[in-house]
Amino acid sequence: QVQLVESGGGLVQAGGSLRLSCAASGSIFRLNAMGWYRQAPGKQRELVARITSIGVTNYVDSVKGRFTISRDNAKNAVYLQMNSLKPEDTAVYYCNALDYSTMNYWGKGTLVTVSS
């Protein structure tokens, strides 16, 4: 079992930056892929960024060049640096992790609000 806790959300003006953190805890020594998803009111949850256990990354087209995902395997933590934020980035951001038994884990989410 793994627990994920996000932090770093808040209110920021358009063009500003935020850094999201996700800390994993529980009886596990290593996680497989980790990522960040987001969900805005009335919209489907979408993948924002993903990073494998060896550091291979991918991003949704709308955030390429603005967001950077990274991880610390020793801490089982994942981060999302968000720059040049836009109002359309406003959403609840969820941390996600996959372990080697194929079990999927989710955090409770952190709210990011970008003012116009």
Side-chain angles (χ1 to χ4, degrees):
Q1 296 288 341
V2 174
Q3 292 180 318
L4 305 177
V5 179
E6 306 99 333
S7 63
L11 175 65
V12 66
Q13 292 182 322
S17 298
L18 286 173
R19 184 174 185 264
L20 305 184
S21 298
C22 175
S25 63
S27 183
I28 191 168
F29 82 99
R30 188 181 175 191
L31 293 169
N32 201 338
M34 301 183 77
W36 291 92
Y37 291 72
R38 67 186 180 188
Q39 187 169 25
K43 296 183 178 180
Q44 294 282 98
R45 185 176 296 187
E46 67 171 349
L47 174 68
V48 179
R50 178 185 291 153
I51 184 167
T52 72
S53 61
I54 60 170
V56 179
T57 62
N58 64 281
Y59 301 87
V60 66
D61 286 345
S62 61
V63 309
K64 288 181 179 177
R66 300 189 297 121
F67 291 10
T68 303
I69 190 170
S70 61
R71 66 188 290 167
D72 184 337
N73 287 332
K75 297 179 179 179
N76 282 322
V78 64
Y79 310 92
L80 187 68
Q81 178 66 46
M82 305 185 293
N83 298 326
S84 301
L85 283 161
K86 303 175 180 179
E88 52 262 45
D89 295 318
T90 296
V92 176
Y93 284 70
Y94 297 91
C95 180
N96 172 259
L98 182 70
D99 69 19
Y100 287 96
S101 70
T102 74
M103 190 166 293
N104 208 33
Y105 302 94
W106 292 93
K108 293 182 179 180
T110 185
L111 178 63
V112 172
T113 303
V114 184
S115 62
S116 60

